[in-house]
């Protein structure tokens, strides 16, 4: 992995079947959701201890992307707006490069409006480019709604998302919040709960035993996504990224092309897959049945 100067960097041009390009600018977050998979504030995941890329490197990485109109660069984390160079980054992107933002919307809205070009986060899509996660007990819904309208008035398109938790009380709260928000004209949508709750696994997963499988198996796996961690390292799945496990490239490698995404790679962690990667879900065209990764040759499992 030889990191190169800007002039040597070739384009990364995702193919039609590549579904997601994400820069995890930082895994830091100012909230402390108990179910957070990112473990920040000194968490033990190895990614946390790694060098983080400076903003000029992120700009070089972004500007080598040649993305289709229907495939934005998603900025996520942690809370991506906590990345110190966030405003510099969004202002230095090449014309036409579109971004989505996944945020908890705790940032200073006036500062955001004053410093972020609208066109970076505006594009035709069946969902809002700026997507806010509502975490009951962590961020306040009335505050979110107020910020929502501030951003909307300033010309941004945003949506708020709540998770339909299996716990009846939490679920009812989200559904009531959704109803209240829709009446106010807020784009509020729900997402299904993924993972374990009181001994039961929630979510529809394509590969048996891949999530909380209890037993780790070897396999070969590939993704349709370009996933880049705060250090600029590229991974074949979310579980690998969050564990800092087996990066296959650096986003500033001169010879990195989108072809590298398609390679099946050996993995010994089948059973510890992240629900995001193996969940049967809706793709960017809002079509159901998509799975982020393709897994073959699972040791001890009939295919
Ligand atoms: S807002 Fe997201 S990243 Fe931050 S603690 Fe909550 S779940 Fe984790
Ligand atoms: S098998 Fe699971 S843990 Fe291994 S690379 Fe694929 S998604 Fe990631």
């Amino acid at each position: 992995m030889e990191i190169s100067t800007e002039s040597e960097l070739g384009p990364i041009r995702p193919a039609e079947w590549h579904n997601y390009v994400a820069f995890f600018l930082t895994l830091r977050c100012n909230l402390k959701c108990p179910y957070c998979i990112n473990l920040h504030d000194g968490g033990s995941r190895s990614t946390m201890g790694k060098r983080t890329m400076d903003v000029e490197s992120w700009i070089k990485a972004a500007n080598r992307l040649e993305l289709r109109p229907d495939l934005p660069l998603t900025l996520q984390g942690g809370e991506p707006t906590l990345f110190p160079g966030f405003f510099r980054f969004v202002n230095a992107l090449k014309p036409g490069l579109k971004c989505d933002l996944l945020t908890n919307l705790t940032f200073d809205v006036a500062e955001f409006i004053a410093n972020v070009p609208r066109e970076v986060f505006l594009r035709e899509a069946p969902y809002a480019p700026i997507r806010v996660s509502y975490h009951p007990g962590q961020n306040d819904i009335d505050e979110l709604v107020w910020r929502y309208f501030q951003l909307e008035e300033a010309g941004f398109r945003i949506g708020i998302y709540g998770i339909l938790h299996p716990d009846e009380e939490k679920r009812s709260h989200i559904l009531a919040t959704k109803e209240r928000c829709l009446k106010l004209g807020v784009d509020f949508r729900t997402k299904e709960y993924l993972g374990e709750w009181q001994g039961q696994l929630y979510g529809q997963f394509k590969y048996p035993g891949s999530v909380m499988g209890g037993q780790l198996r070897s396999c070969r796996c590939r993704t349709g996504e370009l996933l880049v961690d705060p250090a600029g390292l590229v991974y074949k799945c979310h579980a690998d990224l969050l564990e800092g496990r087996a990066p296959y490239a650096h986003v500033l490698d001169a010879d990195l092309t989108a072809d590298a995404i398609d390679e099946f790679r050996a993995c010994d962690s089948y059973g510890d897959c992240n629900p995001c990667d193996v969940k049967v879900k809706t793709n960017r065209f809002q079509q159901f049945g998509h799975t982020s990764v393709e897994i073959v040759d699972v040791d001890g499992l009939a295919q």
Side-chain angles (χ1 to χ4, degrees):
M1 276 187 257
E2 189 79 13
I3 299 175
S4 310
T5 61
E6 187 172 16
S7 58
E8 297 169 315
L9 292 177
I12 299 175
R13 194 176 295 124
E16 181 56 35
W17 55 88
H18 296 146
N19 276 301
Y20 196 62
V21 175
F23 284 2
F24 290 69
L25 294 177
T26 177
L27 290 183
R28 288 175 53 228
C29 187
N30 49 350
L31 300 187
K32 289 186 170 55
C33 306
Y35 44 79
C36 180
I37 57 173
N38 290 355
L39 288 190
H40 15 72
D41 285 341
S44 61
R45 298 204 194 264
S46 48
T47 305
M48 297 303 299
K50 286 211 183 96
R51 177 181 62 84
T52 53
M53 269 209 316
D54 60 62
V55 64
E56 299 309 320
S57 298
W58 279 117
I59 293 166
K60 282 179 204 167
N63 286 341
R64 72 185 297 202
L65 296 172
E66 292 188 2
L67 303 179
R68 306 183 307 268
D70 63 345
L71 182 64
L73 165 60
T74 299
L75 306 177
Q76 64 180 93
E79 171 50 42
T81 60
L82 291 180
F83 174 63
F86 184 80
F87 292 144
R88 159 90 185 123
F89 176 79
V90 294
N91 280 283
L93 297 175
K94 64 185 178 184
L97 183 61
K98 299 293 185 185
C99 292
D100 280 8
L101 178 68
L102 307 187
T103 176
N104 60 31
L105 195 49
T106 51
F107 54 74
D108 182 325
V109 173
E111 195 184 16
F112 187 94
I113 290 170
N115 288 285
V116 174
R118 313 295 183 268
E119 63 274 13
V120 170
F121 293 106
L122 282 181
R123 66 187 181 90
E124 285 298 316
Y127 47 82
I130 298 179
R131 297 191 287 287
V132 177
S133 301
Y134 168 44
H135 301 287
Q138 293 288 320
N139 48 5
D140 178 76
I141 190 62
D142 293 324
E143 180 76 14
L144 292 185
V145 168
W146 182 82
R147 287 161 182 247
Y148 175 100
F149 284 120
Q150 299 271 308
L151 286 164
E152 195 181 59
E153 265 174 42
F156 292 98
R157 189 178 158 217
I158 71 173
I160 303 180
Y161 288 75
I163 292 174
L164 288 174
H165 198 283
D167 178 87
E168 196 45 51
E169 196 178 323
K170 292 181 174 139
R171 188 184 182 87
S172 299
H173 170 74
I174 291 293
L175 289 172
T177 304
K178 177 179 180 180
E179 199 180 327
R180 187 156 70 90
C181 282
L182 291 180
K183 278 188 189 145
L184 292 169
V186 171
D187 179 0
F188 189 107
R189 305 187 196 193
T190 53
K191 294 197 286 192
E192 67 171 320
Y193 181 88
L194 292 178
E196 192 262 351
W197 171 252
Q198 295 189 336
Q200 196 179 328
L201 187 59
Y202 288 84
Q204 187 183 342
F205 304 110
K206 184 168 175 183
Y207 301 99
S210 57
V211 178
M212 306 184 72
Q215 181 187 350
L216 295 186
R217 299 173 186 273
S218 59
C219 66
R220 291 188 308 126
C221 185
R222 72 173 174 187
T223 183
E225 306 185 341
L226 185 74
L227 304 172
V228 186
D229 86 349
L233 298 167
V234 186
Y235 296 85
K236 63 186 176 305
C237 71
H238 285 78
D240 280 3
L241 184 147
L242 292 170
E243 295 287 349
R245 197 166 59 196
Y248 67 80
H250 190 280
V251 70
L252 296 180
D253 286 346
D255 56 356
L256 178 65
T257 69
D259 291 348
I261 300 172
D262 292 330
E263 198 177 308
F264 276 101
R265 295 180 166 89
C267 173
D268 295 324
S269 300
Y270 182 102
D272 187 31
C273 303
N274 187 299
C276 303
D277 293 312
V278 288
K279 172 199 168 211
V280 181
K281 61 184 174 184
T282 303
N283 68 6
R284 68 181 188 282
F285 303 115
Q286 302 292 289
Q287 296 162 334
F288 189 69
H290 171 73
T291 307
S292 298
V293 298
E294 186 179 352
I295 303 174
V296 296
D297 301 339
V298 183
D299 183 37
L301 281 188
Q303 298 285 290

